[in-house]
Amino acid sequence: MRALLTWLKFAWHNTLRNRRRSLVTVSIVALGAAGMLLAGGFALYTYESLAEASARDSGHLVLGTPAQFDRDEDVPLQHGLSGVQQLRATLLADPAVRHVLPRVAFTGLISNGDKSTVMLAAGVDPDGEFTVKGPFLTVTAGKTLAADAAQPQVMLGADLARNLKARPGDSLTLLASTTEGAMNAVDVVVAGLFTTGVPEVDKRMVYTSIATAQQLLVTDKVSTLGVFLDRMEATEPARQRLAAQLPQLAVQTWEEQAAFYRAVRNLYNRIFGALGLIIAVIVVSVVANAMAMAIIERTREIGALRALGTLPSQLLCTLGLEGALLGGAGALLGAALALAISALLHVFPMDMPPPPGRSVGYPLLVTVDASMYAVVMSLMLLLTLTASLLVARKTVRLPVVDALAHT
Amino acid sequence: MSPQNGPVLRLAGVHKHYQLGAHRIDALRGVDLDVQAGELLALTGPSGSGKSTLLNLCGLIDTPDAGDIELNGQPVNALDETARTLLRRDALGFVFQNFNLIPVMTVAENVDYPLFLADVPPAERRARVAAQLAAVGLAEHAHHRPDALSGGQRQRVAIARALIKRPSLVIADEPTASLDSHTAEQVLALMRERGRAEGAAFVIATHDNRLTARCDRVVNLLDGRIQCAPC
Ligand SMILES: Nc1ncnc2c1ncn2[C@@H]1O[C@H](COP(=O)(O)OP(=O)(O)OP(=O)(O)O)[C@@H](O)[C@H]1O
Ligand SMILES: [Mg+2]
């Protein structure tokens, strides 16, 4: 232990021999570490906010009949859930469950009398949907659905409304085939318009109340139940509990529902994985190069140390420590830099351009995750240590006479 | 190391050649040599006669093609690199022409280094380093770096470093070649005095005839062979 300290001190003094070279090496390791931490932090932030948005949209858990998730319907709600009230009571008895929101998903036509167009419709609980979910959509005109409305109401995606020249207060007709296969129609009033930031959705989406949807489809079933938990982390334990409690139903997590989240995560993992690999290669080659120069310059000195009875393994130890010192200093500096930039982005927000398929950007924020910092810093230490050992290996095993004769 | 009755170092029929491309250089052609405990042996001979080659073999930093080498009665030919390294650490000292002090270590740290390698307890190390530095007259330079010292002072540090672990043999290849003649004489006198005090034999390769006159014995090499019978 004491010997290791002596070797460390020797390594430290050696790093100070060519300060400019050490400074350049440390800076590049620092930039590499900061780059990894910021890119990783940005990816983490994106995953977190997408996960949150997905969970808020679908519910942390989604319950339905098994067929609902893996088979197509011949008629609406063929695989729907019945006995919703009792099911809801059972679910709300679970300590982690905060809210249960039913949903009737269906397709049909929406008409203003002159013109009809295809709609993707969702029957939702007007009380719960817009309070529980928070700001998942932006109301651009009018209001959200009211639970106690005198007439059946709808909310329209802004682009769909433009297509139908509909404004809040206007009357429209919903057409759909019932669970029996017959056609049915309901007259509705436009309560409000909204945008989700996804043009494809804004062009087709219609929200109405569960009651209106069930009236149109002539049923008392719902498609799914969205279960909202108190915390994100409660998702997996709650899924297992509920699946055990309700064996006849399928319980999916928000992640199984969130194709977009999975696609982004896949893409970012690849992009940032490649970026990390490139940074690692750069760091290794810069440190290897700097250490190779430092070692070649000191070949004769290494020969003298060997003549005095120093073992190659002892020289490897101190030269490895020398590289690790550069790597450690770089990692610390890089972590400080990444922290500072992360903090600055909170104080002075910047926006990212909209991702593909979206019309609104999102804030550029990076998550500061302790375990990510620990991993990246250890990685830098490991990379610089390995690079130094690799380049030192040859010189410390050089025949002593040859090393001493080196000029 | 342990005092022996026989010679500290014994070379018998030692051969060493170098291959430079197709060209073969026979640097040593059958050298027999005994170095007695505590003696100051001068190795002379013209340039290229094989002095450095011989010293490298004596210092266990090179291996012969043929012949036997014994250090303190122990045959060293069959030893692997680790064993040779440990033997150098424990039984040999080195003084180089260009000092080869470690520039990032202070004078005291340079002298202490062999004791550190040998795992001597810190308190004992401090005492021995102080005594050794006082003996070579560099006590007040203990905390200086080598580059703050003159050539003669650096070589004195090297002598202190070579003798600190009380080796049985010190190898010195042209230890005074980088020094002016006055300093060279002082350094040789110091080696003689300190070698006596510590009981270490010195094998010194040198061109300088004035210095050889002060050694216990002179061995002359010519074309890889020892010239005259030991006087
Ligand atoms: N590494 C080597 N490769 C090839 N030839 C060598 C090598 N080392 C020494 N020689 C040759 O071996 C012979 C003896 O060299 P050595 O260095 O032992 O002589 P020396 O007596 O020490 O000479 P000097 O007084 O110049 O130091 C010389 O001819 C030299 O050129
Ligand atoms: Mg020579």
Side-chain angles (χ1 to χ4, degrees), chain A residues 59-406:
Chain A
H60 295 91
L61 297 172
V62 180
L63 262 71
T65 59
Q68 174 72 29
F69 297 117
D70 48 31
R71 255 179 270 159
D72 285 333
E73 295 181 320
D74 300 323
V75 290
L77 292 180
Q78 185 185 354
H79 308 306
L81 275 177
S82 40
V84 170
Q85 281 318 319
Q86 198 198 334
L87 204 53
R88 202 173 158 154
T90 314
L91 290 170
L92 283 169
D94 188 281
V97 175
R98 285 279 165 279
H99 302 278
V100 177
L101 295 185
R103 175 177 280 249
V104 176
F106 62 101
T107 57
L109 294 173
I110 185 164
S111 168
N112 62 3
D114 298 330
K115 187 175 178 185
S116 301
T117 184
V118 174
M119 66 170 177
L120 290 171
V124 298
D125 173 358
D127 273 340
E129 193 78 9
F130 303 101
T131 49
V132 169
K133 289 192 177 180
F136 71 100
L137 45 70
T138 312
V139 177
T140 55
K143 292 199 204 99
T144 55
L145 302 176
D148 51 0
Q151 286 172 284
Q153 290 185 322
V154 289
M155 283 177 76
L156 304 181
D159 296 341
L160 178 61
R162 188 171 330 115
N163 190 326
L164 294 172
K165 299 186 177 64
R167 283 196 302 266
D170 289 357
S171 286
L172 298 172
T173 306
L174 305 183
L175 292 141
S177 64
T178 68
T179 49
E180 308 286 289
M183 284 304 285
N184 196 9
V186 172
D187 288 329
V188 294
V189 176
V190 178
L193 312 182
F194 65 85
T195 168
T196 56
V198 185
E200 288 309 308
V201 174
D202 292 352
K203 215 182 285 177
R204 296 273 174 248
M205 192 69 203
V206 172
Y207 280 102
T208 184
S209 67
I210 287 275
T212 308
Q214 288 177 335
Q215 181 192 341
L216 179 64
L217 303 175
V218 195
T219 183
D220 57 357
K221 292 182 177 178
V222 301
S223 306
T224 54
L225 286 178
V227 178
F228 293 77
L229 305 173
D230 48 357
R231 293 170 293 122
M232 204 70 184
E233 298 74 43
T235 304
E236 192 45 39
R239 188 192 68 76
Q240 289 174 8
R241 263 199 320 275
L242 295 183
Q245 205 176 341
L246 303 164
Q248 74 281 16
L249 296 184
V251 185
Q252 288 202 341
T253 62
W254 60 267
E255 199 170 343
E256 291 168 275
Q257 297 269 318
F260 184 69
Y261 168 85
R262 291 200 309 272
V264 169
R265 199 179 163 115
N266 251 329
L267 178 71
Y268 277 20
N269 277 347
R270 278 176 208 200
I271 292 177
F272 292 122
L275 186 72
L277 201 67
I278 292 169
I279 291 177
V281 167
I282 292 175
V283 163
V284 165
S285 48
V286 164
V287 172
N289 186 50
M291 284 303 294
M293 285 201 283
I295 288 169
I296 285 171
E297 286 168 6
R298 300 209 296 262
T299 304
R300 202 157 53 100
E301 190 177 312
I302 287 170
L305 290 170
R306 292 275 292 114
L308 293 178
T310 316
L311 291 165
S313 58
Q314 292 173 311
L315 287 170
L316 273 184
C317 163
T318 187
L319 291 168
L321 284 174
E322 192 174 330
L325 273 177
L326 296 174
L332 280 177
L333 216 64
L337 189 66
L339 276 177
I341 291 177
S342 310
L344 271 182
L345 283 173
H346 271 280
V347 183
F348 305 104
M350 278 175 46
D351 263 0
M352 286 297 282
R358 304 265 158 146
S359 56
V360 286
Y362 60 109
L364 171 58
L365 287 174
V366 287
T367 298
V368 174
D369 182 78
S371 55
M372 178 180 71
Y373 273 66
V375 165
V376 168
M377 289 169 76
S378 324
L379 182 72
M380 286 296 156
L381 217 57
L382 196 73
L383 288 179
T384 51
L385 180 73
T386 320
S388 315
L389 291 180
L390 279 180
V391 297
R393 212 185 31 182
K394 226 176 73 195
T395 308
V396 302
R397 304 207 181 281
L398 215 57
V400 182
V401 231
D402 296 350
L404 279 172
H406 198 270

Side-chain angles (χ1 to χ4, degrees), chain A residues 2-3 6-7 9-10 13-14 17 300-301 304-312 314-315 400-401 404, chain B residues 56 61-62 81-82 85-86 88-89 94 96 98 100 102-105 109 113 116-117 122 145 161 165:
Chain A
R2 188 191 290 278
T6 306
W7 289 126
K9 183 179 165 203
F10 185 39
H13 283 302
N14 277 325
R17 266 166 114 151
R300 202 157 53 100
E301 190 177 312
L305 290 170
R306 292 275 292 114
L308 293 178
T310 316
L311 291 165
Q314 292 173 311
L315 287 170
V400 182
V401 231
L404 279 172
Chain B
N56 290 342
I61 55 177
D62 207 356
E81 188 45 45
T82 304
T85 303
L86 296 179
R88 286 199 300 271
R89 183 190 77 183
F94 287 87
F96 303 95
N98 38 36
N100 278 337
I102 307 306
V104 296
M105 293 183 181
E109 286 168 341
Y113 185 77
F116 156 69
L117 280 186
R145 291 271 177 99
R161 177 176 70 178
K165 64 214 171 162

Side-chain angles (χ1 to χ4, degrees), chain B residues 86-227:
Chain B
L86 296 179
L87 201 52
R88 286 199 300 271
R89 183 190 77 183
D90 295 332
L92 292 173
F94 287 87
V95 177
F96 303 95
Q97 176 184 340
N98 38 36
F99 323 123
N100 278 337
L101 299 176
I102 307 306
V104 296
M105 293 183 181
T106 64
V107 164
E109 286 168 341
N110 266 285
V111 175
D112 177 56
Y113 185 77
L115 296 183
F116 156 69
L117 280 186
D119 245 343
V120 175
E124 186 187 338
R125 273 162 57 186
R126 273 193 296 278
R128 280 168 69 175
V129 168
Q132 200 62 237
L133 282 177
V136 298
L138 287 172
E140 69 276 27
H141 293 287
H143 300 296
H144 293 166
R145 291 271 177 99
D147 56 13
L149 305 183
S150 70
Q153 287 173 322
R154 287 184 208 188
Q155 207 56 308
R156 287 201 246 165
V157 177
I159 292 168
R161 177 176 70 178
L163 289 172
I164 184 106
K165 64 214 171 162
R166 302 186 187 120
S168 40
L169 178 65
V170 176
I171 306 296
D173 194 354
E174 317 258 9
T176 58
S178 302
L179 306 173
D180 65 71
S181 61
H182 177 65
T183 314
E185 276 184 45
Q186 288 181 329
V187 163
L188 187 82
L190 185 70
M191 286 198 278
R192 187 186 179 86
E193 173 205 327
R194 296 295 307 137
R196 289 259 155 81
E198 302 284 355
F202 271 79
V203 180
I204 305 169
T206 180
H207 284 292
D208 194 330
N209 289 328
R210 282 176 307 167
L211 299 183
T212 56
R214 294 164 168 246
C215 293
D216 299 331
R217 187 156 65 107
V218 181
V219 167
N220 194 31
L221 265 183
L222 187 64
D223 288 339
R225 289 199 186 89
I226 288 178
Q227 273 308 88

